[in-house]
Amino acid sequence: MFNFLGKKAKEPVIKVLAKERTQYNDIYVIQNDNYRELWFKGNGDDFLQSRVNLEKPHQLALVYSNMMMASLLFCPKPRRLLMVGLGGAAVTNFLSEQFPSLHIDVVDIDPKVIEVSKKYFYLRESNRYRIFEEDGRVFIQNRKGQEPYDWIILDAFNGDYIPEHLLTKEFLTETKQLLTAD
């Protein structure tokens, strides 16, 4: 690195807090200075899934997460949210804080992702913020005829890979049937 005026740039302090291998992912929790990050490793590549600023844990720290909030333009006052894919719970923790009456259901297939999110990413379930360990497609199929959602976020991915059964026309039709009319 360049050294201007004798000042040396501060090197980041990176520490691995947890490493879990599951049938779905190799999961890493990384402490990177003031940020805690959830990474998945697969096919020789590492994929950032979630980031939390420890000094501001209820703010979104990734551009990707912030861009998801643009969907609020279509549903500015959501009452019920379904999110398929938990990651480090940054998005749903943020939404739970910003919308105190929002009922949030999150479904994730990987029990270790849920466990890591509770231990390292401030995930706290409540009567209005529930986590389900299940395949997202099965969860959606089992919700037919129950109270609909105002907002559904599909965020189940691993880097550039989305599970194939979550990309079918049939799955998207089933998902759409869980939405309120407006």
Side-chain angles (χ1 to χ4, degrees):
M1 282 284 172
F2 295 104
N3 187 355
F4 295 104
L5 305 174
K7 293 182 180 179
K8 191 172 184 179
K10 181 182 169 188
E11 293 291 325
V13 178
I14 298 173
K15 181 179 177 184
V16 177
L17 302 179
K19 180 180 174 183
E20 300 283 350
R21 174 172 231 138
T22 74
Q23 71 182 79
Y24 306 103
N25 299 292
D26 288 341
I27 301 169
Y28 294 85
V29 178
I30 307 293
Q31 186 77 32
N32 185 351
D33 282 336
N34 291 331
Y35 293 94
R36 187 164 296 155
E37 300 172 341
L38 178 68
W39 289 80
F40 291 169
K41 185 176 186 82
N43 300 327
D45 292 319
D46 299 318
F47 302 104
L48 178 61
Q49 299 295 306
S50 195
R51 177 182 291 146
V52 174
N53 181 336
L54 299 176
E55 294 176 358
K56 301 172 186 173
H58 293 293
Q59 290 185 2
L60 296 174
L62 290 175
V63 171
Y64 169 78
S65 301
N66 277 288
M67 290 185 70
M68 276 187 205
M69 298 308 108
S71 60
L72 283 165
L73 293 169
F74 299 102
C75 184
K77 296 178 182 176
R79 293 180 311 103
R80 292 179 45 77
L81 164 69
L82 170 62
M83 185 155 180
V84 179
L86 175 63
V91 170
T92 49
N93 285 347
F94 170 80
L95 291 169
S96 179
E97 182 80 15
Q98 295 299 312
F99 294 90
S101 62
L102 178 63
H103 177 93
I104 300 171
D105 287 343
V106 184
V107 60
D108 200 288
I109 196 168
D110 195 333
K112 285 293 182 184
V113 169
I114 297 168
E115 182 181 311
V116 162
S117 292
K118 288 179 178 178
K119 186 171 183 179
Y120 295 101
F121 293 95
Y122 310 105
L123 174 61
R124 301 289 177 265
E125 290 184 83
S126 69
N127 61 347
R128 66 172 193 88
Y129 186 3
R130 302 179 307 171
I131 310 301
F132 299 89
E133 178 191 324
E134 192 172 350
D135 182 296
R137 182 150 191 187
V138 173
F139 181 87
I140 285 173
Q141 289 171 337
N142 291 334
R143 296 297 296 182
K144 288 179 186 172
Q146 296 185 33
E147 187 175 0
Y149 294 98
D150 304 302
W151 187 14
I152 298 175
I153 299 174
L154 301 177
D155 192 32
F157 72 96
N158 185 353
D160 59 354
Y161 170 77
I162 299 171
E164 204 169 299
H165 69 292
L166 301 182
L167 291 173
T168 66
K169 179 180 177 184
E170 293 80 10
F171 171 70
L172 295 175
T173 299
E174 292 167 346
T175 303
K176 184 178 178 184
Q177 291 171 353
L178 295 186
L179 284 169
T180 57
D182 60 345

